[in-house]
Amino acid sequence: MTEVSQGGASRGVSLGIPELPAPDYPADVRARLETDAKEVIARYPGSRSALLPLLHLVQSEEGYVTRTGIRFCAEQLELTTAEVTAVATFYTMYRRKASGDYQVGVCTNTLCAVMGGDAIFDELKQHLGIGNDETTEDGKVTLEHIECNAACDFAPVVMVNWEFFDDQTPESARQLVDDLIAGREVRPTRGAPLCTYKETARILAGFPDQRAGAVEATGGAGPASLAGLRLHRGEVPAPKVVGQRGESATEDAGAYDTPTSPSPAQHPSSHDAPGRTAESDPDNPADPVADRTGDHATEEEGE
Amino acid sequence: MTVEPAEKLLAPVLSAFWDDPRSWTLETYRRHEGYEALGKALAMAPDDLIAYVKDSGLRGRGGAGFPTGMKWQFIPQGDGKPHYLVVNADESEPGTCKDIPLLFANPHALIEGMVIACYAIRSNHAFIYLRGEVVPVLRRLHEAVREAYEAGYLGTNIKGSGFDLDITVHAGAGAYICGEETALLDSLEGRRGQPRLRPPFPAVEGLYACPTVVNNVESIASVPAIIQRGKEWFRSMGSEKSPGFTLYSLSGHVARPGQYEGPLGITLRQLLDMGGGMRPGHRLKFWTPGGSSTPMFTDEHLDVPLDYEGVGAAGSMLGTKALQCFDETTCVVRAVTRWTEFYAHESCGKCTPCREGTYWLVQLLRDIEAGKGRTEDLDKLQDIADNINGKSFCALGDGAAAPIFSSLKYFRAEYEEHIEGNGCPFDPARSTAWADKSRTEAHA
């Protein structure tokens, strides 16, 4: 697909010379995306409201938000690329570099972390040999830690392409990524059989999933959601000693028995450490900041 | 087990048929009186409908507890401007997990509530701002809206009433701050999600500077049941000032985590009693009544009535009723550090106290957790939190300060232990969901 131009480093000495505009999409791609964009824009009284869905749409084309995608959004909405970039860099779901087909997010917010999310994240980093926000060499899996995903009664939670994998253990999570890498079909505990990240991004842009059975997959509410209802109906036996925590929980016993706390410097949430600027971070050129006037300098964008 | 049977304390309404194998469909919803309230509502005058919801005493379920009917009443009528309803489905507060299962299992309750609310406030276009990270819910919302259009509950001349309504489902893109209503509106307008100065309030100048109601999912989804069964029925539950039913979300080191729908004013002790208590062999150490932004409680607070007044009087907030329970294996410093890292990450950067304050809180907390802290750091934590609390642009800052204040209040000794003992005395492996299956002897 359309590739971004070289990083900022090569332009280090070209003072005062603005960067060339991003390349456009090939004509056929552009025509197709324009049709989609018109449909998105028509949903809103004000066209700019379409920006978030359009950024999802361009991610569905290229897997991340490229300069070309930013240019496309800007043109559709009559904004500047700077305005679009300011928005694209604010939200964590917009990827800023090429990443994997499957975004594996381990919740490491307090409750999931305590319940085992930290151990799961450590296990996956070690097993895959990658760190936070890195991708396996085959381009299949991007690993990241995520914040609370509103499923605390199913903790610890792992999300893959934003489908729920509830009540995980290090063992089940390792199996999950192995299956993804091997190309085996993977089904979430709540949600539809996995599609690729690009296909997911299209749903996020507001185009309903057309796959047969996708909406009804995994049935009504998940088991924890029914805890109160079942009690009310008198359906639940006396409280169990160990329980409702997913079948693989018991097999893991002892395997993750790390007696020491991770050093805080290695916390998954180290992303709020002082962010490196694009200038000091050649790995992450953060285009098109070369022609920016300072709008990237936001600490909350840590990574 | 307790003397009082659980079924007498619980009152599933929104969750009443979540176990139906096709609970999310229009067909199932209709089998459970779905869209019957809409017929009643459309037969009422809009102003009477607003008064009815106000009289029911329904208060916002998103955290602040503002009376829903009053929010509707603030919308100026006859002003010639379009009015909007925006449903806040950006559920992201750590610990909060009620709206997402509600929308997954019963999206039509929200849609029916939206049609009723829009008829009342005279809005012809409503939005559901759903956080982006929940694609299974997005699918069902797309489908529910499609079904509702097809059945004539949305679109033009709804059920022959002459009332028109369109609903747009909008997926966010990952930003906790967008749960703050004015940041949500900026985000929905295609901007960075940063809070707006108030006044003007959204009811006067909200989306596209037009009168806008922003309501939480659960608040709006509760409206059809109130119309259908009556405000007296609603007021028969809970207390005078906190009437009605609500979803309590029990999570953490409890025997049976999950959603428990019941009258406001239930206590954590009652919920734990019916849910089988804490996990076997452990005891409650600290918990949040309504997400990480509500000051934490301890086992002293097991009998606090979980309604707006009860929790407020005990020094916290009901918030989102997200009851995150941690047992004695959990390090408070670790928990608070992680929450604070979250707030620092999610601070939008607009105002200085929050942006800088959360950053420095994280630095101090990490040092303390690593055993590199100093005793005076505890006062410094308190001081920084005090400089954020009430001095930030929006409630995210107050939320960031809450775990600091409350943990120092109840667990100062544990902080000191980290400082004096040069590190964390807790073993995180003992807190995991699988700990007791693996390590009964392993860690003697």
Side-chain angles (χ1 to χ4, degrees), chain A residues 155-187:
Chain A
V157 170
V158 172
M159 305 296 295
V160 182
N161 290 353
W162 309 115
E163 312 279 345
F164 289 98
F165 290 78
D166 301 320
D167 298 309
Q168 292 295 293
T169 63
E171 177 61 34
S172 66
R174 202 171 51 205
Q175 183 67 49
L176 168 62
V177 295
D178 284 348
D179 288 345
L180 291 172
I181 288 168
R184 288 187 281 267
E185 191 193 49
V186 169
R187 289 173 175 269

PDB file of all heavy atoms in Angstrom, chain A residues 155-187:
ATOM      1  N   ALA A 155     -12.129 -10.283  34.832  1.00  0.00           N
ATOM      2  CA  ALA A 155     -10.676 -10.084  34.920  1.00  0.00           C
ATOM      3  C   ALA A 155      -9.938 -11.405  35.180  1.00  0.00           C
ATOM      4  O   ALA A 155     -10.473 -12.260  35.884  1.00  0.00           O
ATOM      5  CB  ALA A 155     -10.369  -9.109  36.053  1.00  0.00           C
ATOM      6  N   PRO A 156      -8.722 -11.550  34.657  1.00  0.00           N
ATOM      7  CA  PRO A 156      -7.981 -10.624  33.794  1.00  0.00           C
ATOM      8  C   PRO A 156      -8.454 -10.719  32.333  1.00  0.00           C
ATOM      9  O   PRO A 156      -8.747 -11.812  31.848  1.00  0.00           O
ATOM     10  CB  PRO A 156      -6.534 -11.105  33.909  1.00  0.00           C
ATOM     11  CG  PRO A 156      -6.515 -12.171  34.951  1.00  0.00           C
ATOM     12  CD  PRO A 156      -7.901 -12.697  35.073  1.00  0.00           C
ATOM     13  N   VAL A 157      -8.455  -9.568  31.674  1.00  0.00           N
ATOM     14  CA  VAL A 157      -9.017  -9.473  30.336  1.00  0.00           C
ATOM     15  C   VAL A 157      -7.918  -9.197  29.309  1.00  0.00           C
ATOM     16  O   VAL A 157      -7.009  -8.416  29.558  1.00  0.00           O
ATOM     17  CB  VAL A 157     -10.064  -8.336  30.295  1.00  0.00           C
ATOM     18  CG1 VAL A 157     -10.508  -8.043  28.870  1.00  0.00           C
ATOM     19  CG2 VAL A 157     -11.257  -8.698  31.167  1.00  0.00           C
ATOM     20  N   VAL A 158      -8.034  -9.891  28.174  1.00  0.00           N
ATOM     21  CA  VAL A 158      -7.186  -9.619  27.016  1.00  0.00           C
ATOM     22  C   VAL A 158      -8.119  -9.276  25.862  1.00  0.00           C
ATOM     23  O   VAL A 158      -9.165  -9.912  25.705  1.00  0.00           O
ATOM     24  CB  VAL A 158      -6.310 -10.843  26.662  1.00  0.00           C
ATOM     25  CG1 VAL A 158      -5.565 -10.618  25.344  1.00  0.00           C
ATOM     26  CG2 VAL A 158      -5.307 -11.127  27.788  1.00  0.00           C
ATOM     27  N   MET A 159      -7.772  -8.258  25.100  1.00  0.00           N
ATOM     28  CA  MET A 159      -8.555  -7.909  23.919  1.00  0.00           C
ATOM     29  C   MET A 159      -7.720  -8.232  22.681  1.00  0.00           C
ATOM     30  O   MET A 159      -6.541  -7.912  22.629  1.00  0.00           O
ATOM     31  CB  MET A 159      -8.889  -6.416  23.891  1.00  0.00           C
ATOM     32  CG  MET A 159      -9.599  -5.854  25.103  1.00  0.00           C
ATOM     33  SD  MET A 159     -11.251  -6.497  25.421  1.00  0.00           S
ATOM     34  CE  MET A 159     -12.197  -5.922  23.995  1.00  0.00           C
ATOM     35  N   VAL A 160      -8.334  -8.854  21.683  1.00  0.00           N
ATOM     36  CA  VAL A 160      -7.661  -9.002  20.403  1.00  0.00           C
ATOM     37  C   VAL A 160      -8.547  -8.345  19.358  1.00  0.00           C
ATOM     38  O   VAL A 160      -9.727  -8.708  19.217  1.00  0.00           O
ATOM     39  CB  VAL A 160      -7.423 -10.472  20.024  1.00  0.00           C
ATOM     40  CG1 VAL A 160      -6.659 -10.551  18.694  1.00  0.00           C
ATOM     41  CG2 VAL A 160      -6.664 -11.194  21.117  1.00  0.00           C
ATOM     42  N   ASN A 161      -7.983  -7.364  18.670  1.00  0.00           N
ATOM     43  CA  ASN A 161      -8.764  -6.555  17.730  1.00  0.00           C
ATOM     44  C   ASN A 161     -10.093  -6.127  18.351  1.00  0.00           C
ATOM     45  O   ASN A 161     -11.136  -6.138  17.708  1.00  0.00           O
ATOM     46  CB  ASN A 161      -8.982  -7.292  16.405  1.00  0.00           C
ATOM     47  CG  ASN A 161      -7.691  -7.404  15.606  1.00  0.00           C
ATOM     48  OD1 ASN A 161      -6.676  -6.816  15.983  1.00  0.00           O
ATOM     49  ND2 ASN A 161      -7.717  -8.158  14.521  1.00  0.00           N
ATOM     50  N   TRP A 162     -10.031  -5.820  19.620  1.00  0.00           N
ATOM     51  CA  TRP A 162     -11.153  -5.277  20.380  1.00  0.00           C
ATOM     52  C   TRP A 162     -12.322  -6.233  20.523  1.00  0.00           C
ATOM     53  O   TRP A 162     -13.476  -5.826  20.645  1.00  0.00           O
ATOM     54  CB  TRP A 162     -11.585  -3.904  19.841  1.00  0.00           C
ATOM     55  CG  TRP A 162     -10.402  -2.998  19.732  1.00  0.00           C
ATOM     56  CD1 TRP A 162      -9.858  -2.477  18.604  1.00  0.00           C
ATOM     57  CD2 TRP A 162      -9.571  -2.530  20.817  1.00  0.00           C
ATOM     58  NE1 TRP A 162      -8.743  -1.718  18.914  1.00  0.00           N
ATOM     59  CE2 TRP A 162      -8.548  -1.739  20.252  1.00  0.00           C
ATOM     60  CE3 TRP A 162      -9.596  -2.706  22.204  1.00  0.00           C
ATOM     61  CZ2 TRP A 162      -7.563  -1.120  21.032  1.00  0.00           C
ATOM     62  CZ3 TRP A 162      -8.612  -2.087  22.970  1.00  0.00           C
ATOM     63  CH2 TRP A 162      -7.618  -1.307  22.375  1.00  0.00           C
ATOM     64  N   GLU A 163     -12.025  -7.542  20.525  1.00  0.00           N
ATOM     65  CA  GLU A 163     -12.994  -8.561  20.938  1.00  0.00           C
ATOM     66  C   GLU A 163     -12.532  -9.047  22.316  1.00  0.00           C
ATOM     67  O   GLU A 163     -11.334  -9.083  22.615  1.00  0.00           O
ATOM     68  CB  GLU A 163     -13.016  -9.751  19.973  1.00  0.00           C
ATOM     69  CG  GLU A 163     -13.105  -9.400  18.501  1.00  0.00           C
ATOM     70  CD  GLU A 163     -14.507  -9.065  18.005  1.00  0.00           C
ATOM     71  OE1 GLU A 163     -15.487  -9.363  18.720  1.00  0.00           O
ATOM     72  OE2 GLU A 163     -14.597  -8.482  16.905  1.00  0.00           O
ATOM     73  N   PHE A 164     -13.481  -9.502  23.131  1.00  0.00           N
ATOM     74  CA  PHE A 164     -13.176  -9.860  24.517  1.00  0.00           C
ATOM     75  C   PHE A 164     -12.671 -11.292  24.672  1.00  0.00           C
ATOM     76  O   PHE A 164     -13.315 -12.248  24.220  1.00  0.00           O
ATOM     77  CB  PHE A 164     -14.429  -9.729  25.400  1.00  0.00           C
ATOM     78  CG  PHE A 164     -14.849  -8.314  25.644  1.00  0.00           C
ATOM     79  CD1 PHE A 164     -15.863  -7.738  24.895  1.00  0.00           C
ATOM     80  CD2 PHE A 164     -14.245  -7.541  26.633  1.00  0.00           C
ATOM     81  CE1 PHE A 164     -16.266  -6.429  25.121  1.00  0.00           C
ATOM     82  CE2 PHE A 164     -14.640  -6.232  26.865  1.00  0.00           C
ATOM     83  CZ  PHE A 164     -15.659  -5.677  26.099  1.00  0.00           C
ATOM     84  N   PHE A 165     -11.541 -11.402  25.356  1.00  0.00           N
ATOM     85  CA  PHE A 165     -11.055 -12.706  25.811  1.00  0.00           C
ATOM     86  C   PHE A 165     -11.010 -12.616  27.335  1.00  0.00           C
ATOM     87  O   PHE A 165     -10.114 -12.009  27.906  1.00  0.00           O
ATOM     88  CB  PHE A 165      -9.684 -13.020  25.205  1.00  0.00           C
ATOM     89  CG  PHE A 165      -9.765 -13.295  23.729  1.00  0.00           C
ATOM     90  CD1 PHE A 165      -9.896 -12.260  22.812  1.00  0.00           C
ATOM     91  CD2 PHE A 165      -9.757 -14.603  23.250  1.00  0.00           C
ATOM     92  CE1 PHE A 165     -10.002 -12.513  21.451  1.00  0.00           C
ATOM     93  CE2 PHE A 165      -9.864 -14.864  21.895  1.00  0.00           C
ATOM     94  CZ  PHE A 165      -9.989 -13.823  20.993  1.00  0.00           C
ATOM     95  N   ASP A 166     -12.036 -13.195  27.946  1.00  0.00           N
ATOM     96  CA  ASP A 166     -12.261 -13.018  29.377  1.00  0.00           C
ATOM     97  C   ASP A 166     -11.517 -14.063  30.196  1.00  0.00           C
ATOM     98  O   ASP A 166     -11.178 -15.134  29.694  1.00  0.00           O
ATOM     99  CB  ASP A 166     -13.759 -13.146  29.683  1.00  0.00           C
ATOM    100  CG  ASP A 166     -14.595 -12.125  28.924  1.00  0.00           C
ATOM    101  OD1 ASP A 166     -14.161 -10.971  28.816  1.00  0.00           O
ATOM    102  OD2 ASP A 166     -15.685 -12.508  28.431  1.00  0.00           O
ATOM    103  N   ASP A 167     -11.343 -13.759  31.483  1.00  0.00           N
ATOM    104  CA  ASP A 167     -10.819 -14.721  32.456  1.00  0.00           C
ATOM    105  C   ASP A 167      -9.568 -15.419  31.950  1.00  0.00           C
ATOM    106  O   ASP A 167      -9.461 -16.647  31.955  1.00  0.00           O
ATOM    107  CB  ASP A 167     -11.891 -15.775  32.768  1.00  0.00           C
ATOM    108  CG  ASP A 167     -13.129 -15.154  33.392  1.00  0.00           C
ATOM    109  OD1 ASP A 167     -12.967 -14.403  34.365  1.00  0.00           O
ATOM    110  OD2 ASP A 167     -14.239 -15.401  32.899  1.00  0.00           O
ATOM    111  N   GLN A 168      -8.626 -14.621  31.506  1.00  0.00           N
ATOM    112  CA  GLN A 168      -7.418 -15.204  30.918  1.00  0.00           C
ATOM    113  C   GLN A 168      -6.399 -15.598  31.985  1.00  0.00           C
ATOM    114  O   GLN A 168      -6.437 -15.128  33.127  1.00  0.00           O
ATOM    115  CB  GLN A 168      -6.783 -14.197  29.954  1.00  0.00           C
ATOM    116  CG  GLN A 168      -7.632 -13.954  28.713  1.00  0.00           C
ATOM    117  CD  GLN A 168      -7.742 -15.195  27.857  1.00  0.00           C
ATOM    118  OE1 GLN A 168      -6.782 -15.670  27.280  1.00  0.00           O
ATOM    119  NE2 GLN A 168      -8.953 -15.752  27.780  1.00  0.00           N
ATOM    120  N   THR A 169      -5.494 -16.463  31.559  1.00  0.00           N
ATOM    121  CA  THR A 169      -4.343 -16.837  32.361  1.00  0.00           C
ATOM    122  C   THR A 169      -3.121 -16.700  31.452  1.00  0.00           C
ATOM    123  O   THR A 169      -3.278 -16.600  30.226  1.00  0.00           O
ATOM    124  CB  THR A 169      -4.431 -18.302  32.818  1.00  0.00           C
ATOM    125  OG1 THR A 169      -4.404 -19.130  31.652  1.00  0.00           O
ATOM    126  CG2 THR A 169      -5.711 -18.566  33.608  1.00  0.00           C
ATOM    127  N   PRO A 170      -1.931 -16.727  32.007  1.00  0.00           N
ATOM    128  CA  PRO A 170      -0.749 -16.695  31.135  1.00  0.00           C
ATOM    129  C   PRO A 170      -0.773 -17.840  30.120  1.00  0.00           C
ATOM    130  O   PRO A 170      -0.431 -17.656  28.945  1.00  0.00           O
ATOM    131  CB  PRO A 170       0.411 -16.824  32.122  1.00  0.00           C
ATOM    132  CG  PRO A 170      -0.112 -16.221  33.387  1.00  0.00           C
ATOM    133  CD  PRO A 170      -1.561 -16.623  33.434  1.00  0.00           C
ATOM    134  N   GLU A 171      -1.223 -18.988  30.574  1.00  0.00           N
ATOM    135  CA  GLU A 171      -1.279 -20.146  29.687  1.00  0.00           C
ATOM    136  C   GLU A 171      -2.280 -19.945  28.542  1.00  0.00           C
ATOM    137  O   GLU A 171      -1.973 -20.182  27.370  1.00  0.00           O
ATOM    138  CB  GLU A 171      -1.679 -21.373  30.528  1.00  0.00           C
ATOM    139  CG  GLU A 171      -1.848 -22.642  29.757  1.00  0.00           C
ATOM    140  CD  GLU A 171      -0.580 -23.075  29.059  1.00  0.00           C
ATOM    141  OE1 GLU A 171       0.520 -22.841  29.611  1.00  0.00           O
ATOM    142  OE2 GLU A 171      -0.686 -23.637  27.948  1.00  0.00           O
ATOM    143  N   SER A 172      -3.475 -19.486  28.874  1.00  0.00           N
ATOM    144  CA  SER A 172      -4.484 -19.310  27.822  1.00  0.00           C
ATOM    145  C   SER A 172      -4.074 -18.196  26.867  1.00  0.00           C
ATOM    146  O   SER A 172      -4.320 -18.277  25.659  1.00  0.00           O
ATOM    147  CB  SER A 172      -5.855 -19.015  28.446  1.00  0.00           C
ATOM    148  OG  SER A 172      -5.849 -17.773  29.102  1.00  0.00           O
ATOM    149  N   ALA A 173      -3.423 -17.169  27.383  1.00  0.00           N
ATOM    150  CA  ALA A 173      -3.006 -16.065  26.521  1.00  0.00           C
ATOM    151  C   ALA A 173      -1.890 -16.501  25.574  1.00  0.00           C
ATOM    152  O   ALA A 173      -1.847 -16.093  24.412  1.00  0.00           O
ATOM    153  CB  ALA A 173      -2.549 -14.881  27.376  1.00  0.00           C
ATOM    154  N   ARG A 174      -1.004 -17.355  26.083  1.00  0.00           N
ATOM    155  CA  ARG A 174       0.084 -17.870  25.231  1.00  0.00           C
ATOM    156  C   ARG A 174      -0.508 -18.722  24.102  1.00  0.00           C
ATOM    157  O   ARG A 174      -0.120 -18.611  22.952  1.00  0.00           O
ATOM    158  CB  ARG A 174       1.050 -18.678  26.082  1.00  0.00           C
ATOM    159  CG  ARG A 174       2.432 -18.808  25.471  1.00  0.00           C
ATOM    160  CD  ARG A 174       3.387 -19.420  26.464  1.00  0.00           C
ATOM    161  NE  ARG A 174       2.862 -20.647  27.034  1.00  0.00           N
ATOM    162  CZ  ARG A 174       3.212 -21.133  28.224  1.00  0.00           C
ATOM    163  NH1 ARG A 174       4.079 -20.477  28.967  1.00  0.00           N
ATOM    164  NH2 ARG A 174       2.697 -22.246  28.664  1.00  0.00           N
ATOM    165  N   GLN A 175      -1.466 -19.536  24.470  1.00  0.00           N
ATOM    166  CA  GLN A 175      -2.139 -20.357  23.463  1.00  0.00           C
ATOM    167  C   GLN A 175      -2.823 -19.465  22.420  1.00  0.00           C
ATOM    168  O   GLN A 175      -2.779 -19.732  21.211  1.00  0.00           O
ATOM    169  CB  GLN A 175      -3.184 -21.251  24.155  1.00  0.00           C
ATOM    170  CG  GLN A 175      -3.910 -22.216  23.232  1.00  0.00           C
ATOM    171  CD  GLN A 175      -2.974 -23.272  22.686  1.00  0.00           C
ATOM    172  OE1 GLN A 175      -2.234 -23.903  23.428  1.00  0.00           O
ATOM    173  NE2 GLN A 175      -2.977 -23.434  21.353  1.00  0.00           N
ATOM    174  N   LEU A 176      -3.438 -18.423  22.910  1.00  0.00           N
ATOM    175  CA  LEU A 176      -4.132 -17.493  22.028  1.00  0.00           C
ATOM    176  C   LEU A 176      -3.197 -16.907  20.982  1.00  0.00           C
ATOM    177  O   LEU A 176      -3.484 -16.941  19.778  1.00  0.00           O
ATOM    178  CB  LEU A 176      -4.763 -16.393  22.897  1.00  0.00           C
ATOM    179  CG  LEU A 176      -5.311 -15.140  22.226  1.00  0.00           C
ATOM    180  CD1 LEU A 176      -6.448 -15.490  21.278  1.00  0.00           C
ATOM    181  CD2 LEU A 176      -5.807 -14.166  23.292  1.00  0.00           C
ATOM    182  N   VAL A 177      -2.048 -16.400  21.404  1.00  0.00           N
ATOM    183  CA  VAL A 177      -1.153 -15.788  20.411  1.00  0.00           C
ATOM    184  C   VAL A 177      -0.526 -16.852  19.509  1.00  0.00           C
ATOM    185  O   VAL A 177      -0.296 -16.605  18.319  1.00  0.00           O
ATOM    186  CB  VAL A 177      -0.057 -14.897  21.058  1.00  0.00           C
ATOM    187  CG1 VAL A 177      -0.694 -13.708  21.753  1.00  0.00           C
ATOM    188  CG2 VAL A 177       0.834 -15.667  21.999  1.00  0.00           C
ATOM    189  N   ASP A 178      -0.307 -18.036  20.052  1.00  0.00           N
ATOM    190  CA  ASP A 178       0.203 -19.119  19.194  1.00  0.00           C
ATOM    191  C   ASP A 178      -0.802 -19.433  18.095  1.00  0.00           C
ATOM    192  O   ASP A 178      -0.439 -19.640  16.930  1.00  0.00           O
ATOM    193  CB  ASP A 178       0.472 -20.382  20.024  1.00  0.00           C
ATOM    194  CG  ASP A 178       1.756 -20.272  20.846  1.00  0.00           C
ATOM    195  OD1 ASP A 178       2.538 -19.318  20.597  1.00  0.00           O
ATOM    196  OD2 ASP A 178       1.977 -21.126  21.727  1.00  0.00           O
ATOM    197  N   ASP A 179      -2.063 -19.480  18.452  1.00  0.00           N
ATOM    198  CA  ASP A 179      -3.110 -19.748  17.463  1.00  0.00           C
ATOM    199  C   ASP A 179      -3.181 -18.644  16.415  1.00  0.00           C
ATOM    200  O   ASP A 179      -3.347 -18.906  15.224  1.00  0.00           O
ATOM    201  CB  ASP A 179      -4.471 -19.895  18.148  1.00  0.00           C
ATOM    202  CG  ASP A 179      -4.589 -21.201  18.932  1.00  0.00           C
ATOM    203  OD1 ASP A 179      -3.749 -22.103  18.711  1.00  0.00           O
ATOM    204  OD2 ASP A 179      -5.511 -21.323  19.762  1.00  0.00           O
ATOM    205  N   LEU A 180      -3.046 -17.422  16.866  1.00  0.00           N
ATOM    206  CA  LEU A 180      -3.086 -16.303  15.918  1.00  0.00           C
ATOM    207  C   LEU A 180      -1.930 -16.396  14.932  1.00  0.00           C
ATOM    208  O   LEU A 180      -2.101 -16.209  13.729  1.00  0.00           O
ATOM    209  CB  LEU A 180      -3.010 -14.967  16.675  1.00  0.00           C
ATOM    210  CG  LEU A 180      -4.228 -14.577  17.524  1.00  0.00           C
ATOM    211  CD1 LEU A 180      -3.915 -13.338  18.350  1.00  0.00           C
ATOM    212  CD2 LEU A 180      -5.440 -14.333  16.640  1.00  0.00           C
ATOM    213  N   ILE A 181      -0.758 -16.706  15.450  1.00  0.00           N
ATOM    214  CA  ILE A 181       0.422 -16.764  14.588  1.00  0.00           C
ATOM    215  C   ILE A 181       0.331 -17.956  13.635  1.00  0.00           C
ATOM    216  O   ILE A 181       0.718 -17.865  12.470  1.00  0.00           O
ATOM    217  CB  ILE A 181       1.700 -16.819  15.457  1.00  0.00           C
ATOM    218  CG1 ILE A 181       1.919 -15.440  16.098  1.00  0.00           C
ATOM    219  CG2 ILE A 181       2.920 -17.230  14.635  1.00  0.00           C
ATOM    220  CD1 ILE A 181       2.954 -15.403  17.184  1.00  0.00           C
ATOM    221  N   ALA A 182      -0.253 -19.058  14.123  1.00  0.00           N
ATOM    222  CA  ALA A 182      -0.372 -20.244  13.276  1.00  0.00           C
ATOM    223  C   ALA A 182      -1.539 -20.140  12.299  1.00  0.00           C
ATOM    224  O   ALA A 182      -1.731 -21.015  11.455  1.00  0.00           O
ATOM    225  CB  ALA A 182      -0.549 -21.482  14.158  1.00  0.00           C
ATOM    226  N   GLY A 183      -2.319 -19.094  12.421  1.00  0.00           N
ATOM    227  CA  GLY A 183      -3.438 -18.924  11.496  1.00  0.00           C
ATOM    228  C   GLY A 183      -4.643 -19.789  11.814  1.00  0.00           C
ATOM    229  O   GLY A 183      -5.525 -19.968  10.983  1.00  0.00           O
ATOM    230  N   ARG A 184      -4.687 -20.340  13.040  1.00  0.00           N
ATOM    231  CA  ARG A 184      -5.874 -21.116  13.418  1.00  0.00           C
ATOM    232  C   ARG A 184      -7.022 -20.163  13.758  1.00  0.00           C
ATOM    233  O   ARG A 184      -6.792 -19.031  14.165  1.00  0.00           O
ATOM    234  CB  ARG A 184      -5.545 -21.980  14.650  1.00  0.00           C
ATOM    235  CG  ARG A 184      -4.619 -23.135  14.341  1.00  0.00           C
ATOM    236  CD  ARG A 184      -4.460 -24.053  15.536  1.00  0.00           C
ATOM    237  NE  ARG A 184      -3.525 -23.533  16.524  1.00  0.00           N
ATOM    238  CZ  ARG A 184      -2.217 -23.829  16.564  1.00  0.00           C
ATOM    239  NH1 ARG A 184      -1.680 -24.652  15.667  1.00  0.00           N
ATOM    240  NH2 ARG A 184      -1.434 -23.321  17.497  1.00  0.00           N
ATOM    241  N   GLU A 185      -8.231 -20.648  13.587  1.00  0.00           N
ATOM    242  CA  GLU A 185      -9.375 -19.797  13.898  1.00  0.00           C
ATOM    243  C   GLU A 185      -9.417 -19.529  15.399  1.00  0.00           C
ATOM    244  O   GLU A 185      -9.278 -20.452  16.204  1.00  0.00           O
ATOM    245  CB  GLU A 185     -10.688 -20.439  13.459  1.00  0.00           C
ATOM    246  CG  GLU A 185     -11.833 -19.437  13.534  1.00  0.00           C
ATOM    247  CD  GLU A 185     -13.218 -20.068  13.426  1.00  0.00           C
ATOM    248  OE1 GLU A 185     -13.491 -21.053  14.132  1.00  0.00           O
ATOM    249  OE2 GLU A 185     -14.011 -19.562  12.630  1.00  0.00           O
ATOM    250  N   VAL A 186      -9.626 -18.298  15.751  1.00  0.00           N
ATOM    251  CA  VAL A 186      -9.663 -17.926  17.155  1.00  0.00           C
ATOM    252  C   VAL A 186     -11.009 -17.278  17.458  1.00  0.00           C
ATOM    253  O   VAL A 186     -11.462 -16.408  16.722  1.00  0.00           O
ATOM    254  CB  VAL A 186      -8.507 -16.942  17.471  1.00  0.00           C
ATOM    255  CG1 VAL A 186      -8.682 -16.337  18.835  1.00  0.00           C
ATOM    256  CG2 VAL A 186      -7.176 -17.664  17.379  1.00  0.00           C
ATOM    257  N   ARG A 187     -11.635 -17.769  18.494  1.00  0.00           N
ATOM    258  CA  ARG A 187     -12.932 -17.215  18.885  1.00  0.00           C
ATOM    259  C   ARG A 187     -12.839 -16.573  20.258  1.00  0.00           C
ATOM    260  O   ARG A 187     -12.335 -17.179  21.191  1.00  0.00           O
ATOM    261  CB  ARG A 187     -13.991 -18.319  18.910  1.00  0.00           C
ATOM    262  CG  ARG A 187     -14.365 -18.795  17.525  1.00  0.00           C
ATOM    263  CD  ARG A 187     -15.282 -20.007  17.566  1.00  0.00           C
ATOM    264  NE  ARG A 187     -15.697 -20.356  16.219  1.00  0.00           N
ATOM    265  CZ  ARG A 187     -16.801 -19.877  15.633  1.00  0.00           C
ATOM    266  NH1 ARG A 187     -17.603 -19.064  16.304  1.00  0.00           N
ATOM    267  NH2 ARG A 187     -17.096 -20.218  14.403  1.00  0.00           N
TER     268      ARG A 187
END
